[in-house]
Amino acid sequence: MAQPYVPPAPVGPTALMRPLGWGSPFRWLELGRKDLFRHPGIALFYGVSFFLMAQVLALVFKYKPEYTLSMISGCLLIGPFLAMGLYEVSRRLEQGEQPDMASSLMCWDQHIPSMAMLVLVLMVLELLWGRASLVVFAVFFDTGMPSTTGVLEAIFNPKNIEFVMVYLAVGGVFAALVFGLSVVSIPMILDRDTDAISAVLTSMRVVFSHPGVLLLWGALLGLFVVGALWPWGLGIILVGPWLGHASWHAYRGCVEWQENPCEAVTLGSSN
């Protein structure tokens, strides 16, 4: 009599979801602040890079305001990849190693296949998001394309309340999807050299395991970025690197690696 098929045990470490509390995002911010001031020179380099990105946004807003929201969605994708060098700094600090600018700038070169796949997925989402933004403008904007001097007044004109509601709904869906796919996937690729699909699935597991805490984390990221961009975007020189370091600690705080595959837990478990 044939023996029943028994699948082999999984190979390699298992990603477990750590228990999170409402104070976890604030703890990640504090850990990120400490990393920021331990190597301020590296942080300054990335801060200036984020600042230059903000200036590009300002120029688009000035001369082509209808494309500003689409550019913002693109920057939301570029930002995490720029922050990968900051993840490397925090990773080395956590391991007791000495970070340097060279290792920070070149940390991606050992992970090109996984990063390329993840970039491709996020670029497709960004293009869809940008196209959806233009469609919402074309269909729901009732008072004509605003001028550079009165864009905010035109957008929030009572006649355009339907546009605002639809745009926020569409943008919220795309923002939530991008956030869910990338919240821990990029630092996980850097840390474990895993493939993009496993990293994305783990990122979604994190979100579904603790949706409230991750929603708070996403809201804090958004508030800090928006606050740093006003006025003149100078605040992003400090806030950008700070949030990059904090995002590494968010990954470490959300995911624990267990070498024994027999003790793997299911989605949503915090044991």
Side-chain angles (χ1 to χ4, degrees):
M1 182 177 180
Q3 295 294 322
Y5 170 73
V6 178
V11 177
T14 302
L16 308 182
M17 303 298 102
R18 293 182 186 269
L20 300 178
W22 292 106
S24 297
F26 301 98
R27 184 171 65 254
W28 303 335
L29 288 172
E30 174 60 18
L31 292 171
R33 183 193 64 82
K34 293 179 179 179
D35 288 352
L36 175 71
F37 289 107
R38 290 177 69 180
H39 285 275
I42 297 177
L44 178 63
F45 171 82
Y46 286 100
V48 171
S49 299
F50 290 128
F51 174 75
L52 293 176
M53 185 189 302
Q55 298 313 300
V56 172
L57 279 175
L59 290 174
V60 173
F61 179 80
K62 182 177 181 180
Y63 295 105
K64 288 290 184 179
E66 64 271 23
Y67 293 104
T68 303
L69 296 177
S70 297
M71 288 294 296
I72 290 175
S73 66
C75 290
L76 290 175
L77 298 180
I78 296 172
F81 292 99
L82 288 178
M84 193 173 187
L86 296 166
Y87 303 156
E88 174 67 9
V89 173
S90 291
R91 185 186 72 85
R92 287 185 171 235
L93 288 173
E94 185 177 346
Q95 294 180 349
E97 301 176 2
Q98 182 66 25
D100 56 76
M101 182 63 75
S103 63
S104 176
L105 290 175
M106 298 303 297
C107 63
W108 51 267
D109 66 342
Q110 301 296 320
H111 316 285
I112 292 178
S114 297
M115 289 298 296
M117 178 62 68
L118 187 56
V119 168
L120 178 62
V121 172
L122 294 181
M123 282 183 62
V124 170
L125 287 176
E126 191 276 332
L127 291 173
L128 291 174
W129 191 351
R131 179 61 61 181
S133 299
L134 294 177
V135 170
V136 171
F137 256 105
V139 174
F140 293 96
F141 206 84
D142 294 333
T143 58
M145 193 58 64
S147 65
T148 57
T149 58
V151 61
L152 293 179
E153 292 83 353
I155 288 177
F156 292 104
N157 187 310
K159 294 181 180 179
N160 291 318
I161 185 64
E162 185 179 15
F163 157 78
V164 174
M165 295 177 63
V166 173
Y167 187 86
L168 290 178
V170 173
V173 170
F174 279 99
L177 184 56
V178 170
F179 177 75
L181 293 177
S182 61
V183 62
V184 303
S185 56
I186 300 175
M188 177 177 164
I189 289 174
L190 176 66
D191 182 38
R192 308 296 300 192
D193 194 27
T194 186
D195 62 278
I197 295 177
S198 298
V200 166
L201 291 176
T202 301
S203 189
M204 295 303 296
R205 285 180 61 196
V206 168
V207 173
F208 285 118
S209 296
H210 305 283
V213 176
L214 270 296
L215 180 62
L216 173 61
W217 177 234
L220 288 173
L221 293 178
L223 287 174
F224 275 106
V225 170
V226 171
L229 293 175
W230 188 271
W232 305 303
L234 291 174
I236 203 67
I237 297 177
L238 175 66
V239 171
W242 178 22
L243 296 183
H245 289 302
S247 295
W248 168 262
H249 291 288
Y251 155 69
R252 295 288 293 128
C254 291
V255 180
E256 178 182 8
W257 292 96
Q258 181 175 269
E259 300 298 332
N260 184 357
C262 297
E263 299 178 4
V265 298
T266 58
L267 171 64
S269 173
S270 59
N271 295 323

